[in-house]
mmCIF file of all heavy atoms in Angstrom:
data_model
loop_
_atom_site.group_PDB
_atom_site.id
_atom_site.type_symbol
_atom_site.label_atom_id
_atom_site.label_comp_id
_atom_site.label_asym_id
_atom_site.label_seq_id
_atom_site.Cartn_x
_atom_site.Cartn_y
_atom_site.Cartn_z
ATOM 1 N N THR A 37 -96.158 -20.392 143.441
ATOM 2 C CA THR A 37 -95.923 -20.988 144.758
ATOM 3 C C THR A 37 -97.134 -21.760 145.269
ATOM 4 O O THR A 37 -97.015 -22.592 146.161
ATOM 5 C CB THR A 37 -95.564 -19.897 145.789
ATOM 6 O OG1 THR A 37 -96.590 -18.908 145.744
ATOM 7 C CG2 THR A 37 -94.234 -19.266 145.480
ATOM 8 N N LYS A 238 -67.379 -45.763 122.060
ATOM 9 C CA LYS A 238 -66.149 -45.277 122.704
ATOM 10 C C LYS A 238 -65.928 -45.865 124.089
ATOM 11 O O LYS A 238 -64.791 -46.017 124.524
ATOM 12 C CB LYS A 238 -66.202 -43.752 122.826
ATOM 13 C CG LYS A 238 -66.047 -43.060 121.491
ATOM 14 C CD LYS A 238 -66.027 -41.547 121.673
ATOM 15 C CE LYS A 238 -66.147 -40.864 120.324
ATOM 16 N NZ LYS A 238 -66.929 -39.620 120.376
ATOM 17 N N HIS A 310 -70.090 -36.875 131.570
ATOM 18 C CA HIS A 310 -70.493 -37.729 132.688
ATOM 19 C C HIS A 310 -69.527 -37.547 133.850
ATOM 20 O O HIS A 310 -68.398 -37.080 133.673
ATOM 21 C CB HIS A 310 -70.536 -39.203 132.272
ATOM 22 C CG HIS A 310 -69.178 -39.839 132.171
ATOM 23 N ND1 HIS A 310 -68.389 -39.744 131.043
ATOM 24 C CD2 HIS A 310 -68.463 -40.561 133.079
ATOM 25 C CE1 HIS A 310 -67.256 -40.379 131.258
ATOM 26 N NE2 HIS A 310 -67.255 -40.874 132.486
ATOM 27 N N SER A 331 -77.462 -22.440 141.710
ATOM 28 C CA SER A 331 -76.331 -21.572 141.430
ATOM 29 C C SER A 331 -75.709 -21.236 142.780
ATOM 30 O O SER A 331 -76.398 -20.741 143.673
ATOM 31 C CB SER A 331 -76.832 -20.313 140.717
ATOM 32 O OG SER A 331 -75.737 -19.486 140.409
ATOM 33 N N ARG A 339 -71.453 -20.238 140.370
ATOM 34 C CA ARG A 339 -71.265 -21.467 139.580
ATOM 35 C C ARG A 339 -72.598 -22.167 139.446
ATOM 36 O O ARG A 339 -73.305 -22.372 140.440
ATOM 37 C CB ARG A 339 -70.263 -22.412 140.273
ATOM 38 C CG ARG A 339 -68.881 -21.828 140.491
ATOM 39 C CD ARG A 339 -67.995 -21.938 139.264
ATOM 40 N NE ARG A 339 -67.679 -23.296 138.873
ATOM 41 C CZ ARG A 339 -66.607 -23.975 139.301
ATOM 42 N NH1 ARG A 339 -65.798 -23.440 140.184
ATOM 43 N NH2 ARG A 339 -66.360 -25.195 138.845
ATOM 44 N N GLU A 441 -82.215 -67.277 136.462
ATOM 45 C CA GLU A 441 -83.048 -66.488 135.556
ATOM 46 C C GLU A 441 -84.258 -65.926 136.305
ATOM 47 O O GLU A 441 -84.987 -66.670 136.954
ATOM 48 C CB GLU A 441 -83.518 -67.353 134.391
ATOM 49 C CG GLU A 441 -83.999 -66.530 133.213
ATOM 50 C CD GLU A 441 -84.792 -67.366 132.225
ATOM 51 O OE1 GLU A 441 -84.475 -68.566 132.091
ATOM 52 O OE2 GLU A 441 -85.736 -66.827 131.646
ATOM 53 N N LEU A 462 -78.713 -58.715 169.092
ATOM 54 C CA LEU A 462 -79.602 -57.918 168.252
ATOM 55 C C LEU A 462 -79.517 -56.439 168.615
ATOM 56 O O LEU A 462 -79.492 -55.566 167.756
ATOM 57 C CB LEU A 462 -81.053 -58.402 168.406
ATOM 58 C CG LEU A 462 -81.390 -59.735 167.735
ATOM 59 C CD1 LEU A 462 -82.794 -60.174 168.115
ATOM 60 C CD2 LEU A 462 -81.267 -59.643 166.223
ATOM 61 N N LEU A 469 -77.136 -48.978 163.666
ATOM 62 C CA LEU A 469 -77.957 -48.414 162.591
ATOM 63 C C LEU A 469 -78.436 -47.013 162.958
ATOM 64 O O LEU A 469 -78.985 -46.810 164.041
ATOM 65 C CB LEU A 469 -79.163 -49.319 162.325
ATOM 66 C CG LEU A 469 -78.833 -50.782 162.045
ATOM 67 C CD1 LEU A 469 -80.098 -51.619 162.000
ATOM 68 C CD2 LEU A 469 -78.056 -50.916 160.743
ATOM 69 N N GLY A 496 -88.459 -38.374 152.922
ATOM 70 C CA GLY A 496 -87.888 -37.310 152.113
ATOM 71 C C GLY A 496 -88.163 -35.959 152.758
ATOM 72 O O GLY A 496 -88.883 -35.866 153.757
ATOM 73 N N TYR A 555 -95.407 -47.149 155.115
ATOM 74 C CA TYR A 555 -94.017 -47.582 155.201
ATOM 75 C C TYR A 555 -93.735 -48.712 154.228
ATOM 76 O O TYR A 555 -94.578 -49.570 153.996
ATOM 77 C CB TYR A 555 -93.702 -48.027 156.623
ATOM 78 C CG TYR A 555 -92.244 -47.908 156.952
ATOM 79 C CD1 TYR A 555 -91.650 -46.658 157.047
ATOM 80 C CD2 TYR A 555 -91.461 -49.040 157.161
ATOM 81 C CE1 TYR A 555 -90.308 -46.535 157.352
ATOM 82 C CE2 TYR A 555 -90.116 -48.926 157.473
ATOM 83 C CZ TYR A 555 -89.543 -47.665 157.567
ATOM 84 O OH TYR A 555 -88.219 -47.549 157.870
ATOM 85 N N GLU A 567 -88.469 -49.038 162.697
ATOM 86 C CA GLU A 567 -88.920 -48.408 163.940
ATOM 87 C C GLU A 567 -90.390 -48.682 164.240
ATOM 88 O O GLU A 567 -90.882 -48.346 165.293
ATOM 89 C CB GLU A 567 -88.720 -46.890 163.830
ATOM 90 C CG GLU A 567 -87.272 -46.469 163.740
ATOM 91 C CD GLU A 567 -86.550 -46.612 165.060
ATOM 92 O OE1 GLU A 567 -87.199 -46.468 166.106
ATOM 93 O OE2 GLU A 567 -85.334 -46.857 165.041
ATOM 94 N N LYS A 589 -107.659 -41.352 163.313
ATOM 95 C CA LYS A 589 -107.621 -42.568 164.124
ATOM 96 C C LYS A 589 -107.013 -43.691 163.305
ATOM 97 O O LYS A 589 -107.466 -43.975 162.194
ATOM 98 C CB LYS A 589 -109.047 -42.934 164.542
ATOM 99 C CG LYS A 589 -109.060 -43.803 165.777
ATOM 100 C CD LYS A 589 -110.447 -43.922 166.385
ATOM 101 C CE LYS A 589 -110.398 -44.932 167.521
ATOM 102 N NZ LYS A 589 -111.488 -45.873 167.465
ATOM 103 N N GLU A 591 -105.798 -47.715 163.732
ATOM 104 C CA GLU A 591 -105.749 -48.907 164.585
ATOM 105 C C GLU A 591 -104.608 -49.799 164.119
ATOM 106 O O GLU A 591 -104.555 -50.190 162.962
ATOM 107 C CB GLU A 591 -107.070 -49.700 164.480
ATOM 108 C CG GLU A 591 -108.304 -48.924 164.887
ATOM 109 C CD GLU A 591 -108.454 -48.795 166.392
ATOM 110 O OE1 GLU A 591 -107.624 -49.377 167.127
ATOM 111 O OE2 GLU A 591 -109.390 -48.100 166.832
ATOM 112 N N HIS A 655 -94.100 -73.143 146.325
ATOM 113 C CA HIS A 655 -93.683 -73.854 145.114
ATOM 114 C C HIS A 655 -94.633 -73.588 143.943
ATOM 115 O O HIS A 655 -94.204 -73.239 142.847
ATOM 116 C CB HIS A 655 -93.602 -75.356 145.407
ATOM 117 C CG HIS A 655 -93.016 -76.158 144.272
ATOM 118 N ND1 HIS A 655 -93.782 -76.655 143.245
ATOM 119 C CD2 HIS A 655 -91.735 -76.526 143.999
ATOM 120 C CE1 HIS A 655 -93.004 -77.305 142.388
ATOM 121 N NE2 HIS A 655 -91.761 -77.242 142.825
ATOM 122 N N GLU A 674 -88.175 -80.287 147.746
ATOM 123 C CA GLU A 674 -87.320 -80.502 148.932
ATOM 124 C C GLU A 674 -86.762 -79.161 149.430
ATOM 125 O O GLU A 674 -86.697 -78.921 150.638
ATOM 126 C CB GLU A 674 -86.164 -81.466 148.608
ATOM 127 C CG GLU A 674 -86.572 -82.918 148.377
ATOM 128 C CD GLU A 674 -87.343 -83.119 147.058
ATOM 129 O OE1 GLU A 674 -87.012 -82.454 146.054
ATOM 130 O OE2 GLU A 674 -88.294 -83.932 147.054
#
Side-chain angles (χ1 to χ4, degrees):
T37 53
K238 289 183 191 144
H310 77 276
S331 182
R339 300 277 296 269
E441 198 195 328
L462 287 173
L469 306 172
Y555 205 68
E567 294 287 329
K589 203 167 174 226
E591 301 283 356
H655 187 272
E674 290 70 37

